[in-house]
Amino acid sequence: MQVSARVTDLSTGAELLSVDDYVVMPTASIGKVLLLVDVAARLADTEFAALTILDRESNDSVGDSGIWQHLQAPSLPVADLAALIGATSDNLATNVLLRLIGLDSVRKRAEAIGLKRTALLDRVRDQRGPDDAPHLSVGSMKEIAWLFSALARGEIVDQSTSQRVAGWLSLNADLSMVASAFGMDPLSHRAGDHGLQMFNKTGADPGIRADAGVVRGPRAGVAYAVAVSFADTDLSTRLAVYDAMHTVGLDVVEYIH
């Protein structure tokens, strides 16, 4: 099992937790945040409007996370696809936006904002072959915690871009990992609860669990990023990973509340 983690104070930038945070880890769907950043930045362009309608095509189809694959609507606006990614890590919406924008554009945007060890490597695939990227995304927890902290401060591209991305991520229904310690309603937490406010993005693949986000409380706010790579051979091992991530969340709550 390999664990990497970073927790920093939002106001001071002080390092609160650091566990091998320079190591580049597989991060599954957390890399979709980079796509959302590029989409949000492009919405300032009048030729790339939030209501631009995109069609899904057969080559975009993929299973697992997301709800668009279960809906009848064959087309949706750009901003709605971004909201689906934020809320349910929608794989089909991801592939449709990537087909429009291109991985190269996402990579250039990530490099422009200063990311060197964090990248979205590929479209979402049901199966990864020998000619495909080995993972959907990779990243260092130090960089990812910085990214979320900068989103919270409005410093990624500009204030409006950061706010759009944070808004989409605030819809996330997966609070099963670090955020499980925050006691919030997974389906309704945008307004906050018991003095806590948050947004986050998770990633899950066989043998991979990752969670990154921002959570604010009455006393302080933090940005966190945690990734675990493990041999997913039995349920007890997987549950131990979730328990460990929950423990990190408890430490965060103690600090901010």
Side-chain angles (χ1 to χ4, degrees):
M1 182 182 297
Q2 185 172 20
V3 178
S4 180
R6 176 86 169 189
V7 181
T8 58
D9 186 286
L10 270 184
S11 298
T12 67
E15 174 189 303
L16 306 175
L17 173 68
S18 175
V19 180
D20 290 338
D21 58 4
Y22 285 94
V23 175
V24 176
M25 299 277 287
T27 51
S29 290
I30 285 183
K32 294 173 184 176
V33 176
L34 304 181
L35 171 62
L36 293 181
V37 168
D38 201 21
V39 170
R42 286 168 172 258
L43 291 181
D45 186 343
T46 56
E47 296 183 1
F48 190 86
L51 295 179
T52 300
I53 302 296
L54 299 181
D55 301 325
R56 62 187 186 190
E57 298 179 358
S58 58
N59 288 340
D60 302 318
S61 296
V62 66
D64 295 330
S65 63
I67 61 172
W68 193 15
Q69 61 184 309
H70 305 294
L71 304 180
Q72 295 299 308
S75 308
L76 288 172
V78 164
D80 287 3
L81 298 184
L84 287 178
I85 294 170
T88 68
S89 198
D90 199 292
N91 286 336
L92 177 56
T94 298
N95 283 352
V96 170
L97 283 174
L98 271 177
R99 175 165 50 81
L100 174 69
I101 291 175
L103 275 168
D104 195 49
S105 176
V106 176
R107 176 185 60 79
K108 289 178 180 177
R109 182 80 64 181
E111 291 175 352
I113 62 178
L115 299 176
K116 298 178 180 180
R117 296 169 174 261
T118 302
L120 181 64
L121 300 177
D122 198 5
R123 68 193 296 274
V124 186
R125 303 178 186 273
D126 287 321
Q127 301 291 332
R128 296 204 163 273
D131 296 328
D132 302 323
H135 302 288
L136 176 62
S137 73
V138 296
S140 80
M141 297 307 102
K142 183 175 182 179
E143 281 195 346
I144 292 173
W146 170 85
L147 171 64
F148 274 76
S149 179
L151 284 170
R153 293 192 303 267
E155 296 173 354
I156 296 299
V157 181
D158 54 34
Q159 186 80 30
S160 62
T161 296
S162 298
Q163 288 178 344
R164 286 190 186 106
V165 175
W168 291 328
L169 295 178
S170 72
L171 299 169
N172 187 23
D174 184 7
L175 307 186
S176 64
M177 302 183 205
V178 175
S180 65
F182 305 157
M184 304 183 84
D185 183 344
L187 301 179
S188 180
H189 56 270
R190 294 194 79 188
D193 197 7
H194 289 299
L196 301 183
Q197 289 187 309
M198 67 163 293
F199 63 88
N200 77 317
K201 181 75 187 77
T202 56
D205 273 332
I208 301 167
R209 292 296 184 274
D211 186 358
V214 164
V215 58
R216 295 181 172 94
R219 293 174 52 196
V222 304
Y224 69 86
V226 181
V228 184
S229 180
F230 61 102
D232 197 359
T233 55
D234 54 73
L235 180 59
S236 62
T237 300
R238 182 184 294 180
L239 292 177
V241 169
Y242 278 103
D243 285 344
M245 299 180 85
H246 181 80
T247 299
V248 173
L250 290 175
D251 289 342
V252 167
V253 171
E254 184 177 354
Y255 180 79
I256 67 174
H257 199 270

